[in-house]
Amino acid sequence: MKNAIGHELCPELMQSLGLELHDAPQQKDTATLQQRLQSNGKLMNSLEDAIRAAGLRDGMTISFHHHFRDGDYVLNDVVKKISEMGYKDITVASSSLSNAHGPLVQYIKDGTVTALQSSGCRGKLADAISKCEVELKQPVIFRSHGGRAAAIANGTLHIDIAFLGVASCDALGNASGTNEEGTSMCGSLGYAKVDARYADKVVLLTEKLAPYPNLPASIPATDVDYVVKVDAIGDSSKISSGATRYTKNPRDLLIAETAAKAIMASGYFQDGFSIQTGSGGAALAVTRFIENEMAEQGITADFALGGITSQIVKLHEQGLVKKVLDVQGFDGEAARSIRDNPGHCEIDGNQYASPFNEGSAIHQLDVVILSALEIDTQFNVNVLTGSDGIIRGAIGGHPDTAACAALTVIVSPLIRGRIPCVVDKVGCLITEGSVCDVLVTDVGIAVNPNRPEVEQRLKAAGLKVKTIQQLRDEAYAVVGKPDELAFGDRVVAVVTDPKGRALDVIRNVKA
């Protein structure tokens, strides 16, 4: 066997090396760029065509991202089409499930969807799961954002087909969460990037088919199999709602101001520090109160991390935050900034919060401010289930960042809707108390006994420091000690820690 210039290719040797023989001249494609783009095999005429081309079969796992939060259309539209096409026994593995995903209830009931994996769940769907009004073949698996990204990367969560909504995309799949027109933008595609990299097949849905090459690309064409132009992928005005809303609540603002004072007195507020504000009105508002102090003291943060808001963008554009590491935009300003500011950098879920890689950003984090639905006297935190035991929240990056930040500050009202937030024992364990350092409420601050140096600094600054037992007693004195909830015998969900180990179970709520 000889090649085109007469060299012997040694077939037996090549076979032993596992190499095929080149046996025919290459054929050149002489079509123009525009002709190639029009005839490429990725651009599908319809969602149904893309589903068929991707090879969906009964029993497969499909994934979605939640960057549009309550404004997401893609998950419902895809699952509806899959149901119409007759597929069954599908696992939906979304980076999170929101109020927008109530229609999944009917697709669980008709057998289209039989399993769920997510970082959280809210609304009609969460209510139906908690009360066993729908039957899944296994409990819901809840993972943190870092835990989910790690599970996808190591194969624990295997995705057959990822369906990802993007704000712009060219015919070959170079995709972004932004576009020049500023329509249907979600900003960072940090969670979607992991799905695109590791899924067997990737289908992008977009309203905006951009000219090639659509750069810079959050998701490169090399990670994409099919592209579908659709009428709408989501309502970006609903990204900033619920847990990511811009709060005007006086109590939230009081808590945020107190938390800012605690951070400034903690010993970690110094030039070159790093910070993340989690979801929840009070947590997000903290940046408003440290802005002036940063300017007055000449303190500049090396980076801000996580879900990014207009407040972080403002600090960045004022030069008070050097770099913004954005895994998820929480409002329209964050989406605009990631498009326009070179120092506003998009990172994926593994770069953000992998528990197995020291290079992920959470391992470089000084201060994180996180919310809580409830916190107990051992500083354990619950952000997933309500006081009634019903699933109504999301793990998000809570345990990821709490475990790695040098200072973890939990913010919560003492009482929410006549329900105590500081309790003897949380209803569901999401973040262990050993990694939660400071609790800031509207009536005082409690410091974990394992951080005596922080407590001394806060007291020296004149802040109102109490024990967490005192805060619990004050809450109980006002609204009483809550009765223990009655749960059934069925485990409806499993909570995993960032490394993928079972941490807690959620049982069904008795009617």
Side-chain angles (χ1 to χ4, degrees):
M1 179 68 187
K2 295 182 179 181
N3 67 8
I5 60 171
H7 289 174
E8 176 62 50
L9 291 182
C10 308
E12 292 182 359
L13 174 61
M14 298 308 144
Q15 184 178 12
S16 71
L17 295 172
L19 298 175
E20 293 183 5
L21 296 178
H22 178 79
D23 60 359
Q26 294 186 53
Q27 298 300 312
K28 190 172 182 177
D29 185 354
T30 60
T32 66
L33 168 62
Q34 294 308 315
Q35 289 171 331
R36 281 179 249 174
L37 291 176
Q38 291 171 13
S39 63
N40 90 84
K42 291 188 178 184
L43 192 58
M44 296 286 107
N45 291 324
S46 68
L47 176 57
E48 182 171 339
D49 288 346
I51 292 169
R52 294 194 190 282
L56 183 65
R57 299 191 304 274
D58 291 353
M60 280 189 166
T61 296
I62 62 176
S63 75
F64 304 87
H65 70 72
H66 76 292
H67 289 287
F68 281 94
R69 301 183 71 87
D70 283 351
D72 176 57
Y73 296 163
V74 170
L75 189 152
N76 292 338
D77 289 346
V78 170
V79 175
K80 179 182 179 182
K81 179 57 66 177
I82 286 172
S83 179
E84 290 172 352
M85 294 170 71
Y87 292 103
K88 300 292 183 182
D89 192 24
I90 299 297
T91 296
V92 169
S94 179
S95 55
S96 199
L97 295 165
S98 71
N99 293 307
H101 301 129
L104 272 180
V105 170
Q106 71 186 78
Y107 301 117
I108 296 173
K109 289 181 177 179
D110 71 12
T112 303
V113 175
T114 56
L116 298 173
Q117 300 194 29
S118 180
S119 75
C121 194
R122 293 179 170 88
K124 181 181 177 181
L125 176 61
D127 201 63
I129 292 167
S130 299
K131 296 177 180 178
C132 287
E133 295 173 352
V134 292
E135 185 172 349
L136 295 163
K137 67 179 181 182
Q138 65 181 41
V140 179
I141 297 176
F142 285 117
R143 293 186 175 92
S144 68
H145 286 326
R148 179 182 186 271
I152 293 172
N154 66 30
T156 301
L157 172 52
H158 176 261
I159 298 169
D160 294 297
I161 308 173
F163 293 92
L164 308 173
V166 297
S168 64
C169 177
D170 62 39
L172 292 177
N174 293 298
S176 172
T178 68
N179 55 51
E180 293 180 359
E181 294 80 5
T183 57
S184 298
M185 298 201 311
C186 62
S188 174
L189 289 170
Y191 301 128
K193 286 163 68 74
V194 178
D195 296 48
R197 185 174 304 134
Y198 292 100
D200 290 349
K201 297 290 182 180
V202 175
V203 177
L204 299 186
L205 293 82
T206 187
E207 300 173 24
K208 171 68 175 175
L209 203 57
Y212 177 90
N214 184 41
L215 299 176
S218 304
I219 298 172
T222 47
D223 285 344
V224 175
D225 297 286
Y226 303 104
V227 176
V228 184
K229 187 177 185 302
V230 295
D231 292 335
I233 58 170
D235 181 353
S236 56
S237 70
K238 293 184 178 180
I239 294 174
S240 182
S241 62
T244 61
R245 74 193 187 283
Y246 184 91
T247 185
K248 296 181 180 179
N249 183 303
R251 184 180 63 177
D252 285 349
L253 295 176
L254 171 63
I255 295 170
E257 184 177 14
T258 305
K261 291 177 180 177
I263 291 167
M264 289 184 276
S266 69
Y268 292 95
F269 186 68
Q270 52 189 278
D271 198 44
F273 83 114
S274 56
I275 189 170
Q276 174 171 338
T277 54
S279 62
L284 293 175
V286 170
T287 49
R288 294 192 232 173
F289 295 99
I290 65 172
E291 176 185 345
N292 291 338
E293 199 69 24
M294 290 177 71
E296 288 179 10
Q297 294 189 33
I299 289 176
T300 302
D302 276 355
F303 71 86
L305 175 66
I308 301 302
T309 66
S310 59
Q311 291 297 312
I312 295 294
V313 169
K314 182 181 178 184
L315 294 181
H316 176 57
E317 293 181 340
Q318 290 176 342
L320 297 175
V321 172
K322 292 179 182 178
K323 299 287 185 180
V324 178
L325 306 183
D326 187 346
V327 72
Q328 178 183 16
F330 279 168
D331 55 39
E333 268 298 281
R336 190 272 309 165
S337 175
I338 203 170
R339 181 191 64 189
D340 299 341
N341 289 320
H344 188 153
C345 309
E346 185 174 20
I347 61 173
D348 69 34
N350 270 315
Q351 292 172 291
Y352 167 47
S354 171
F356 301 112
N357 193 320
E358 191 177 353
S360 65
I362 56 170
H363 296 289
Q364 330 313 325
L365 189 57
D366 286 323
V367 179
V368 65
I369 305 100
L370 300 167
S371 297
L373 289 176
E374 57 182 3
I375 182 169
D376 66 25
T377 54
Q378 300 302 309
F379 285 82
N380 298 307
V381 175
N382 172 23
V383 292
L384 188 57
T385 61
S387 59
D388 53 3
I390 292 176
I391 301 165
R392 59 178 72 254
I395 299 174
H398 202 288
D400 304 310
T401 53
C404 293
L407 181 72
T408 298
V409 179
I410 308 297
V411 292
S412 172
L414 186 70
I415 298 166
R416 184 185 289 112
R418 297 201 58 77
I419 302 295
C421 297
V422 184
V423 295
D424 289 316
K425 184 174 72 172
V426 292
C428 182
L429 177 59
I430 302 300
T431 301
E432 294 178 289
S434 59
V435 298
C436 298
D437 302 309
V438 177
L439 168 65
V440 178
T441 74
D442 46 330
V443 300
I445 301 170
V447 181
N448 195 317
N450 63 17
R451 300 300 304 270
E453 79 287 6
V454 174
E455 181 174 1
Q456 290 172 6
R457 292 167 189 160
L458 300 194
K459 286 182 175 178
L463 296 175
K464 189 186 297 184
V465 177
K466 304 179 180 180
T467 68
I468 198 164
Q469 289 80 9
Q470 286 176 307
L471 292 177
R472 174 207 58 195
D473 292 345
E474 288 182 33
Y476 286 1
V478 175
V479 295
K481 182 177 180 179
D483 296 331
E484 285 200 18
L485 297 173
F487 291 100
D489 297 327
R490 183 172 173 182
V491 174
V492 297
V494 176
V495 176
T496 62
D497 72 5
K499 292 186 176 180
R501 301 168 297 194
L503 182 65
D504 204 350
V505 296
I506 301 173
R507 300 183 186 276
N508 67 295
V509 176
K510 286 186 176 179

